[in-house]
Amino acid sequence: MDDVLSNYELENHSIPRIKLLNILPAHHEANRTPPQREIVQCELQLEALSEAPEYEALSYTWGSTSQEFPVQVQLTGLWPEPLPASRTKTFHVTKHLHAALLRLQQPKVPRLVWIDQLCIDQSNTAERNSTVSLMAEIYRRAKRTIVWLGETSLLDEDRDYIVDAAERMNFRPVEREWSEVQDQNIIKDMIGVKAEGEAHELGQRRRQALAEFLNRPWFTRAWVFQEVVVAKRGTVLCGSLEMDMDIFINLLDGVCELDMQEVGEARSIMRSSKGYKPMFAIREGRFETRNGLSSSAKSNWLATLWQAMGNVNATDPRDKVYAFLAFSDTQVAPIEPNYAWSVGMVYTDAARQSILNVRSLDVLELALKTAWPPELLQPLPDFGPLFYHLPSWVPDFSRPLPSLPFMTHNTGSSNFRASRKIPYPYTIRSSLDRDGLRVQGHFISTVSSICPIEFPTFDPSQTLHETLVLEEVVTWVRSELAPGPPTPLSDPARVLRTLFAEGAGSDDTPNNMNYDSPRALAAYRNEPAILRALVDGIVPAPYSSSDPPSISDLKTQYSYYRWMKKVSEIVTHKKLFLTKDGDMGLAYEAIREGDVVAILLGSKTPTVLRKMEQIPGKGEWRFVAQCYLDGWMRGEEHEGREWTEEGAERFMLY
C-alpha cells in the first residue's frame, strides 16, 4: 500500500487505533448495476478503537491477488505529522473487493466500514502485527458484519423465492434447532423433496444454487470463522441477494439435512460441498458465543484448529494460527502475531504456548507429519520447503491430517485420561526449549508387531463389516499369538473396541450407558438383521413396553450399531499393533516395530516415540503419534507395571 496510507504506525500508541474507510456515495443511480471499472471514491480516517463511530466490517475473500481496479482514497480527520504533500491517492484493489465496494456504495450517504485490504498496510509488518491482534475486537465492535460472497448468476425468480422462504421461517438465531415442522415443509417445497415434474426441476435447480453458495471460496477462508462468530449481527450479500446471516446459515443447514435424508449422505451435493463443514463450525461457534459459552470456545481451540487444517485455506500459512487467536486461552503465555517470523517459528511458538497455557499435551494429537497420502505432499509456493523443518512435536497447521485424531474431532474434549489428569509439569519456557520440548513420563512397552491390514479410506455407505473387517484382524491377532493358548488379547470384542478406539473418547455412547463390549460385538455381528429392520421401519423407533424381547434387543443393538457407524471413521489410515508386553493398540500408519509406547504427564492418550540417532547436544526421542492403548486409557493400574508421578523420567522431544 502506498505510504500516503501507511505513514502512521498504529502500534506506537498505548490506545489501540484503527483505520476506517468511508465509502462515498455512488455516481451511478440506485438499483442500477454499476460499471465494472468505475473509480470508487473513499475517505480514510484514523480512530481510537474504543471511541470509533459506528461502522460495519466486511468479511470476504481476496480472490485473485492481482490488484487492477481503481479506488481513490483521501485522508481525512487528524493524522500525525508529517503529512504527505497530497492527501489523495488513486491505487488499485482486487476485482473481488472492487465488486464489493460497488455493491456497498449507497446512493446519497457515505458508508463507514473496516476492510482489511484498505485499512491495513500489508507491506508494513509492524502495522500488520498490531492490527491482526485486534481483529476479533474490530469485528466484535462493528455494528454489523457484511459477508460478501461475490456476484451470482442466480435467476431473479430463484433469488426471490429463496429470500421469501427464509423470511417465512421460524428460525431463531440464538437456538440450535431449526427443525420445526413448518420450517421443514418450507424447505421441502423449495428444494423439491419428493416433488415431480416441473416442481421437481425447480427444486433441483434451487438445490444446485444453494450448493453453489457452499462452494464459494468465502466458506473456506481461514479468517471467516473469527469474523462472523464474534459478530453482533450479519448480512450476507451475493450479487443482489441480501439476507440475515444467521437465517442464511440455518437455511443452508436445513437444506443439507433434508438433502441427506432424501438421497443419502454419500450422494448429497450439499454434504459434499467444500463449505459444508466450515458452515457447521460457524453455526456452532455463533451459537456458543451468543449463548455465553465463550469459555467453551476457548477450551476447544485445538478442535477449531483441527477443523481449520482440513477445511479452510489461507494465502499465508501463518494465518492458519493467527486467524483463530480469538478462541485461544492465552492467560499464561499469549500468542502474539509476528509476521517477521518464519512459518516454522510461528507454528512452534503456537504449539509451545498452547501447552504452557493449558498445561496439557493435547496439541500433540495434531502433530503428525509422516505417512501422508500423495495428494497431500505438494509443496506450498512462496513459503519454503515442505513442513518448514518443524520439530516432531509441532503440528503442521497448514495441512490436513490424513484421518481423525483421537480426541478433538468429537467435541474438543475427551474422557480419556491416560496420565490420570496429571498436568504438564512445566509452566515457563527454558533455554533448552528452542527446538525441543521438555517432558516427563513413563515408558510402557515396545511395539512388537503391526497388523498388515490397511484402512485407506472411509466410505459412509459401507457396512461396518466392510469398514472394520473384524474377522480378518482377529485372525491376524491369533496368528501372532500362536502357538500359545487363547488369551484375552484375541477376544473379538476387545479387538473391535480397539479398532474404533472405544469411540475415541466420545461421551455419547448409546442411551448414555457405559461402553459395553459384548453389546457392541452383538450389534456388529447382527448387522444384516439391523439393516433389514431399517428397511422394514422397525428401527429407528422409540422403545415400547409392548415390544417383544427380540424387538427390544434389536432396538438396543441398533443404538450401538448407529454409534459404531458414527465413530468407525477413526480407523482410517491407522493400524492395529501389539506390544512385547501383551498390549493391543491403534496408531497412525507412521508407527514402526521397535517404537516405544509411553505415557507423558499432561497427555490424555499414550504416545508413540522413536529413538533418535545420537546427536551431540540433542536428546534421544522423536514424537511419532498419539495412540489408543487398550486398558491404559483411563490411568488403570497394571500389576508389575505400576507408575507414579514422582517416578517419571525426564527427557526431551525434538
Side-chain angles (χ1 to χ4, degrees):
M1 186 177 291
D2 195 279
D3 27 341
V4 74
L5 302 178
S6 62
N7 62 87
Y8 183 53
E9 294 186 352
L10 299 179
E11 77 282 0
N12 288 340
H13 272 261
S14 57
I15 300 176
R17 294 174 181 266
I18 60 171
K19 298 169 183 173
L20 291 174
L21 191 76
N22 209 20
I23 305 173
L24 300 180
H27 293 300
H28 58 268
E29 297 175 6
N31 301 320
R32 182 174 69 83
T33 302
Q36 290 189 350
R37 289 280 176 176
E38 179 175 321
I39 297 178
V40 182
Q41 305 284 339
C42 303
E43 296 173 344
L44 195 69
Q45 58 195 65
L46 187 66
E47 301 286 350
L49 179 57
S50 60
E51 301 172 0
E54 273 196 344
Y55 65 92
E56 298 169 296
L58 185 67
S59 177
Y60 72 110
T61 59
W62 280 42
S64 168
T65 56
S66 176
Q67 295 173 302
E68 303 174 353
F69 291 78
V71 176
Q72 191 173 78
V73 176
Q74 180 178 7
L75 300 184
T76 63
L78 297 175
W79 287 74
E81 300 293 343
L83 279 171
S86 172
R87 279 178 168 244
T88 302
K89 180 73 175 182
T90 298
F91 62 102
H92 295 82
V93 298
T94 61
K95 179 181 179 180
H96 195 60
L97 176 57
H98 189 260
L101 292 171
L102 293 175
R103 287 287 182 186
L104 291 174
Q105 273 187 318
Q106 300 178 126
K108 295 182 179 180
V109 295
R111 189 169 195 167
L112 192 63
V113 295
W114 187 89
I115 303 173
D116 63 349
Q117 201 173 144
L118 294 165
C119 297
I120 304 176
D121 177 8
Q122 302 293 331
S123 65
N124 185 325
T125 300
E127 179 177 327
R128 200 173 167 198
N129 292 342
S130 64
T131 308
V132 164
S133 67
L134 296 173
M135 289 280 277
E137 193 62 19
I138 289 171
Y139 280 88
R140 189 178 289 116
R141 286 179 175 271
K143 70 176 182 180
R144 179 171 63 162
T145 293
I146 301 167
V147 174
W148 170 243
L149 298 182
E151 297 295 343
T152 179
S153 58
L154 187 68
L155 297 177
D156 289 348
E157 61 182 285
D158 290 335
R159 176 201 63 200
D160 295 342
Y161 191 97
I162 290 170
V163 172
D164 178 66
E167 290 176 348
R168 288 187 287 123
M169 290 179 180
N170 294 321
F171 286 147
R172 289 178 285 277
V174 296
E175 295 185 5
R176 191 187 300 267
E177 296 297 333
W178 61 271
S179 57
E180 290 90 349
V181 173
Q182 178 184 348
D183 292 351
Q184 288 196 21
N185 289 336
I186 292 172
I187 294 175
K188 287 178 181 178
D189 290 342
M190 182 172 62
I191 64 175
V193 173
K194 296 184 178 179
E196 297 180 357
E198 184 178 347
H200 176 73
E201 292 179 6
L202 283 172
Q204 288 296 102
R205 190 175 74 201
R206 292 169 187 145
R207 195 181 310 204
Q208 289 281 359
L210 290 165
E212 192 268 337
F213 281 136
L214 279 177
N215 280 314
R216 295 274 172 143
W218 179 85
F219 281 98
T220 56
R221 175 176 169 260
W223 285 100
V224 157
F225 185 82
Q226 174 178 267
E227 291 168 358
V228 299
V229 165
V230 304
K232 294 175 183 175
R233 56 185 291 257
T235 297
V236 172
L237 290 180
C238 188
S240 59
L241 182 145
E242 183 172 341
M243 190 182 299
D244 177 86
M245 180 172 63
D246 290 302
I247 291 179
F248 179 74
I249 291 174
N250 280 346
L251 172 65
L252 291 178
D253 189 38
V255 172
C256 288
E257 202 64 37
L258 288 174
D259 187 52
M260 288 188 287
Q261 288 178 20
E262 183 183 26
V263 302
E265 184 173 340
R267 297 175 56 199
S268 168
I269 61 172
M270 302 294 290
R271 176 67 176 80
S272 61
S273 64
K274 295 178 182 178
Y276 173 76
K277 288 184 178 179
M279 176 207 67
F280 180 78
I282 288 169
R283 185 168 180 264
E284 292 297 293
R286 281 190 64 73
F287 171 82
E288 292 182 349
T289 300
R290 297 179 71 150
N291 285 274
L293 303 179
S294 58
S295 60
S296 174
K298 287 181 181 296
S299 67
N300 291 350
W301 186 55
L302 290 178
T304 302
L305 288 182
W306 171 70
Q307 291 279 358
M309 289 169 72
N311 298 305
V312 304
N313 304 312
T315 304
D316 187 331
R318 292 168 291 194
D319 288 338
K320 283 290 193 83
V321 170
Y322 292 157
F324 302 96
L325 289 185
F327 308 99
S328 64
D329 187 345
T330 58
Q331 296 176 1
V332 177
I335 300 172
E336 300 287 351
N338 190 337
Y339 286 95
W341 284 4
S342 68
V343 176
M345 291 171 67
V346 169
Y347 287 4
T348 301
D349 178 68
R352 190 186 307 283
Q353 302 303 75
S354 173
I355 291 169
L356 294 177
N357 277 317
V358 295
R359 296 190 65 188
S360 166
L361 293 175
D362 286 354
V363 73
L364 294 183
E365 66 178 331
L366 305 181
L368 183 76
K369 295 182 287 295
T370 55
W372 293 88
E375 64 271 17
L376 299 182
L377 290 174
Q378 301 304 314
L380 295 178
D382 304 325
F383 287 97
L386 192 65
F387 304 135
Y388 324 112
H389 305 295
L390 297 174
S392 66
W393 55 275
V394 176
D396 183 349
F397 295 109
S398 71
R399 300 176 186 276
L401 292 176
S403 68
L404 297 178
F406 286 105
M407 291 185 294
T408 56
H409 75 278
N410 184 37
T411 60
S413 60
S414 172
N415 60 16
F416 290 154
R417 48 184 184 279
S419 63
R420 300 171 184 166
K421 297 186 177 181
I422 300 171
Y424 178 70
Y426 303 105
T427 57
I428 59 173
R429 300 182 67 150
S430 161
S431 59
L432 299 173
D433 287 345
R434 180 174 179 181
D435 295 318
L437 179 70
R438 293 176 294 164
V439 294
Q440 296 181 25
H442 299 268
F443 299 112
I444 301 301
S445 192
T446 302
V447 176
S448 59
S449 55
I450 301 171
C451 182
I453 298 170
E454 297 181 346
F455 305 94
T457 59
F458 176 75
D459 182 350
S461 67
Q462 287 185 331
T463 66
L464 274 178
H465 281 68
E466 292 170 328
T467 300
L468 299 178
V469 290
L470 176 64
E471 293 77 11
E472 294 181 38
V473 179
V474 170
T475 299
W476 174 83
V477 172
R478 289 174 175 169
S479 71
E480 289 295 303
L481 299 175
T487 72
L489 206 61
S490 60
D491 177 8
R494 184 175 182 183
V495 176
L496 178 64
R497 181 175 67 215
T498 303
L499 279 176
F500 58 80
E502 203 176 324
S506 70
D507 292 319
D508 57 347
T509 46
N511 304 326
N512 297 316
M513 297 183 293
N514 292 325
Y515 176 77
D516 187 316
S517 295
R519 286 188 174 183
L521 181 62
Y524 176 86
R525 286 175 169 169
N526 206 28
E527 184 175 38
I530 292 172
L531 294 177
R532 286 195 300 271
L534 272 169
V535 173
D536 296 338
I538 298 173
V539 293
Y543 288 88
S544 171
S545 58
S546 62
D547 286 340
S550 60
I551 298 298
S552 181
D553 288 345
L554 193 62
K555 289 179 178 179
T556 298
Q557 288 180 3
Y558 173 72
S559 296
Y560 270 92
Y561 176 78
R562 184 176 58 183
W563 178 68
M564 286 191 293
K565 281 282 288 183
K566 174 183 175 182
V567 301
S568 60
E569 186 178 357
I570 192 71
V571 77
T572 310
H573 287 295
K574 297 185 178 71
K575 287 193 172 184
L576 192 98
F577 67 89
L578 304 177
T579 74
K580 69 178 184 64
D581 292 292
D583 306 300
M584 179 188 298
L586 186 73
Y588 284 102
E589 294 169 331
I591 193 172
R592 299 178 188 169
E593 292 182 6
D595 285 345
V596 172
V597 181
I599 290 179
L600 304 181
L601 303 189
S603 177
K604 294 183 177 69
T605 71
T607 58
V608 179
L609 306 177
R610 185 168 299 156
K611 197 90 168 178
M612 292 176 62
E613 302 234 347
Q614 292 296 329
I615 302 175
K618 294 283 187 180
E620 301 180 337
W621 297 98
R622 185 178 298 278
F623 173 79
V624 177
Q626 289 190 326
C627 70
Y628 173 87
L629 194 66
D630 195 57
W632 291 86
M633 302 306 293
R634 293 173 176 80
E636 296 93 336
E637 296 282 354
H638 293 263
E639 186 175 353
R641 303 168 74 186
E642 296 85 359
W643 63 270
T644 63
E645 180 179 1
E646 295 75 18
E649 296 188 48
R650 292 168 169 78
F651 52 97
M652 299 286 292
L653 299 180
Y654 285 100

